[in-house]
Amino acid sequence: MSMALTPLISCSAQKCCRDLSCGKRWKLFPPPVGEEIEMTPMVFAKGLADAGYWGDKLFGRVVSEDVEVSAGFLRKACRARAIYGLEPIFESGRTCVIKVHNFIVFGTKNENSLIEKNYDITIQECKIQNSSREYCKIFAAEARAVPDFGAVPEIIPLYLIYRPANNIPYATMEEDLGGPCEQYCVTERDGTLVARGTSEIVLKCCTFQHWVYQWTNGNILVTDMEGVGWKMTNVRIATNLKG
């Protein structure tokens, strides 16, 4: 098994070997544990002129942390650290967040059908947030033409990951926003849309919601947005479109 080398000032003879060329002592440590993943980005080469397609896969390894990240009642999330293979999206050592939809319960039904459901829901999550991101890019471009409009929300991308050794193989991965997400626009259980406050970020999110609804002739409504600062995630939509 390969071992990682870490220089020590002093250590016991049983745990060290001496580099005769420089006199340094080294302690042998096992490599970090983790899981192999396949990560696939969703690409919109022509913006919203196409429906998006899956880009080239990246094959790498991540280490998940024990601490769970709050992601609302719909998703279970945890932080992870990239080890290798995910550059340039996630450099080695960078933290990210892995999310799985909470409505998938394994161990109670046919495993094959649950994996299919896991795949379908995860694909849908990626399509919703990444297509909303493309709308947000257009909104930001139009907002720049408005004098003194100021900052605009940015929806971060979601990446599809496949974890062959995990009993819930499909999940999404995204950048770690560095703090707990704050709800800006949400849908209540009765279907009512609610803005959480009157801050500039909340009002800009509401403006974006209205813009998407008008831009799509009433076919798409962004219903939920939350995030840290101006960076948004956990996006949900309502739509009249099929497919």
Side-chain angles (χ1 to χ4, degrees):
M1 180 175 66
S2 63
M3 307 294 281
L5 294 177
T6 302
L8 290 180
I9 296 175
S10 63
C11 58
S12 64
Q14 290 84 359
K15 295 181 179 179
C16 300
C17 60
R18 183 177 294 278
D19 185 331
L20 298 178
S21 62
C22 64
K24 288 183 180 179
R25 291 183 175 185
W26 303 88
K27 183 176 180 180
L28 300 179
F29 288 98
V33 296
E35 61 179 348
E36 300 286 345
I37 68 167
E38 299 175 10
M39 186 179 77
T40 312
M42 194 170 190
V43 180
F44 292 83
K46 300 178 181 179
L48 289 169
D50 59 35
Y53 62 92
W54 298 106
D56 295 333
K57 291 181 180 180
L58 296 174
F59 299 87
R61 177 178 283 270
V62 298
V63 174
S64 297
E65 298 180 358
D66 293 334
V67 179
E68 292 187 3
V69 181
S70 175
F73 72 95
L74 287 178
R75 305 169 183 88
K76 182 179 180 181
C78 69
R79 281 193 176 87
R81 178 165 48 86
I83 300 178
Y84 62 77
L86 304 179
E87 297 88 351
I89 298 173
F90 295 106
E91 300 291 340
S92 178
R94 184 178 175 184
T95 57
C96 49
V97 175
I98 295 175
K99 293 178 181 176
V100 175
H101 208 287
N102 270 341
F103 291 162
I104 304 166
V105 181
F106 279 71
T108 58
K109 297 181 180 180
N110 180 276
E111 292 295 326
N112 289 333
S113 64
L114 287 171
I115 290 175
E116 290 176 6
K117 184 177 180 181
N118 169 221
Y119 175 79
D120 291 340
I121 291 177
T122 306
I123 290 290
Q124 188 71 4
E125 294 264 290
C126 287
K127 287 182 177 179
I128 288 172
Q129 183 147 324
N130 289 321
S131 60
S132 297
R133 173 176 164 83
E134 294 302 310
Y135 283 113
C136 202
K137 289 179 182 179
I138 300 172
F139 173 72
E142 294 193 1
R144 284 194 291 269
V146 179
D148 302 320
F149 187 85
V152 296
E154 176 193 354
I155 298 174
I156 64 174
L158 280 190
Y159 302 95
L160 172 69
I161 65 170
Y162 172 65
R163 307 174 290 176
N166 199 295
N167 67 324
I168 308 178
Y170 295 98
T172 63
M173 193 157 78
E174 62 190 69
E175 70 172 283
D176 182 8
L177 297 182
C181 286
E182 181 180 352
Q183 292 182 328
Y184 299 126
C185 301
V186 299
T187 307
E188 299 287 10
R189 293 187 182 274
D190 63 359
T192 305
L193 299 181
V194 177
R196 298 293 198 199
T198 57
S199 67
E200 181 185 1
I201 297 178
V202 171
L203 295 178
K204 294 285 181 66
C205 287
C206 293
T207 303
F208 172 64
Q209 287 178 308
H210 181 74
W211 179 89
V212 171
Y213 186 78
Q214 296 251 337
W215 205 85
T216 61
N217 297 315
N219 287 312
I220 295 177
L221 175 63
V222 177
T223 58
D224 295 69
M225 298 177 72
E226 58 183 72
V228 177
W230 291 95
K231 289 195 172 184
M232 306 292 152
T233 187
N234 297 336
V235 176
R236 299 178 67 196
I237 66 170
T239 178
N240 291 325
L241 300 174
K242 295 182 179 181

